[in-house]
């Protein structure tokens, strides 16, 4: 009879462990996906920002030496990612290709100006910062005009802020859900051992001594769940990269490292805190309260 009861208790304990591991794995898998989306959304946003061009049109009397000096100084600026010189003849050929006809035949002279296309670093592609750069170079003696797509920059900044806001809201929401679910699973597994906890306490074991094996056990289960979640994330990342190669998920080692460390850290922190408070609750209960 005792053997049968012990076998039942063992199966029940194993079942609770499996439940905890599965719960942790599912929650961390969802958090890993969200973390990857959050990191890649930043990279995607920066990619589009760095496609925005600010063009500095030069005055006709600027010499080649002055042009080279001015171009070199621009390339050294902290906001400049890339600087490209576009001559008036190159601009005319581009317009001709876009229009499908040679507009110079009607005008007789090329009205366009030599220019420098500046591709800015992502953090400088905001309406305020680009306005500052525009004002700064409009005062330059070599510059005839500074031009960029203001409505596009404003729209891009607005949409990125909106997207970032909702991603942060989702991150907080899923973080809270993760804590609640993992905490509930761990509390249920510890609930089945509440009489053991009280027995150890009654024979003189300290709270720290009683908590320690429970905490380490939960952390081990947390890391097992995290390992399963990371395997699932790896499979998902492989197939997403296969069908959407432009995201370059497998080449982005930094983002993948952040997600991996984040999943492992969440597994450790949540399981440690949940186990600490769950065991503390049963340690503080009276013996009669353990039956409810």
């Amino acid at each position: 009879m005792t053997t049968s009861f012990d076998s039942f208790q063992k199966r029940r304990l194993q079942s609770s462990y499996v439940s905890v591991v599965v719960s942790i794995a599912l929650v961390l898998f969802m958090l890993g996906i969200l973390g990857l989306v959050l990191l890649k959304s930043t990279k995607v946003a920066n990619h589009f920002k760095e496609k925005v061009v600010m063009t500095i049109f030069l005055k006709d009397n600027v010499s080649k030496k002055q042009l080279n000096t001015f171009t070199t100084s621009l390339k050294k600026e902290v906001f400049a990612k890339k600087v490209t010189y576009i001559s008036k003849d190159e601009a005319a050929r581009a317009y001709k290709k876009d229009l499908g006809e040679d507009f110079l035949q009607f005008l007789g002279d090329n009205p366009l100006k030599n220019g420098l296309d500046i591709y800015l670093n992502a953090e400088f592609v905001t309406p305020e910062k680009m306005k500052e750069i525009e004002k700064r170079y409009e005062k330059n003696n070599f510059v005839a005009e500074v031009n960029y797509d203001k409505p596009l920059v404003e729209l891009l900044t607005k949409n990125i802020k909106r997207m970032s806001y909702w991603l942060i809201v989702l991150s907080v929401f899923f973080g809270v859900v993760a804590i609640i679910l993992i905490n509930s699973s761990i509390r249920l597994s510890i609930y089945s051992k509440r009489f053991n906890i009280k027995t150890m306490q009654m024979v003189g074991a300290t709270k720290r001594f009683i908590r320690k094996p429970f905490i380490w056990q939960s952390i081990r289960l947390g890391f097992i769940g995290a390992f399963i979640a990371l395997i699932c994330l790896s499979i998902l990342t492989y197939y997403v990269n296969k069908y959407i190669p432009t995201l370059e998920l497998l080449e982005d080692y930094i983002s993948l490292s952040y997600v991996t460390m984040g999943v492992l850290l969440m597994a450790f922190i949540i399981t440690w805190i949940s186990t600490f408070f769950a065991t503390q609750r049963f340690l503080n209960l009276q013996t009669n309260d353990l039956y409810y």
Side-chain angles (χ1 to χ4, degrees), residues 89-264:
D89 295 330
E90 289 175 322
R93 286 194 292 270
Y95 273 113
K96 179 182 176 181
K97 185 177 180 180
D98 292 338
L99 295 172
E101 57 180 336
D102 190 358
F103 67 94
L104 295 179
Q105 292 181 352
F106 299 99
L107 300 177
D109 189 24
N110 188 351
L112 304 177
K113 294 184 179 296
N114 299 321
L116 292 166
D117 283 348
I118 307 173
Y119 295 86
L120 282 72
N121 288 310
E123 61 267 27
F124 291 93
V125 183
T126 64
E128 297 78 16
K129 290 183 178 181
M130 293 191 75
K131 188 67 177 177
E132 289 177 8
I133 297 170
E134 179 187 18
K135 288 181 178 179
R136 173 182 169 185
Y137 284 99
E138 278 179 338
K139 298 174 183 178
N140 192 289
N141 294 328
F142 301 155
V143 176
E145 183 186 355
V146 179
N147 185 45
Y148 63 93
D149 195 337
K150 293 182 178 68
L152 174 63
V153 173
E154 290 176 358
L155 183 64
L156 192 61
T157 303
K158 182 180 179 181
N159 287 337
I160 289 173
K161 284 182 178 179
R162 184 182 299 166
M163 181 179 66
S164 300
Y165 169 78
W166 283 110
L167 281 174
I168 290 171
V169 169
L170 281 174
S171 300
V172 172
F173 173 75
F174 277 107
V176 172
V177 170
I179 293 170
I180 292 172
L181 289 177
I182 294 175
N183 181 64
S184 298
S185 299
I186 289 174
R187 285 186 65 181
L188 285 172
S189 68
I190 294 175
Y191 176 80
S192 62
K193 304 174 188 175
R194 65 195 185 281
F195 292 108
N196 293 341
I197 293 173
K198 185 55 66 176
T199 301
M200 292 170 69
Q201 191 177 21
M202 290 174 67
V203 297
T206 63
K207 290 184 178 181
R208 183 178 180 183
F209 179 83
I210 296 170
R211 274 197 302 261
K212 188 175 179 180
F214 287 101
I215 289 174
W216 281 114
Q217 178 66 30
S218 294
I219 290 174
R220 282 196 291 270
L221 294 176
F223 279 127
I224 293 171
F227 182 70
I228 295 171
L230 289 173
I231 291 174
C232 295
L233 280 170
S234 300
I235 296 170
L236 178 67
T237 301
Y238 171 78
Y239 281 104
V240 170
N241 188 76
K242 182 179 179 180
Y243 292 107
I244 314 176
T246 52
L247 291 177
E248 298 180 345
L249 285 176
L250 295 180
E251 290 78 15
D252 191 356
Y253 300 112
I254 295 176
S255 295
L256 293 176
S257 299
Y258 283 150
V259 170
T260 301
M261 288 187 292
V263 168
L264 293 173

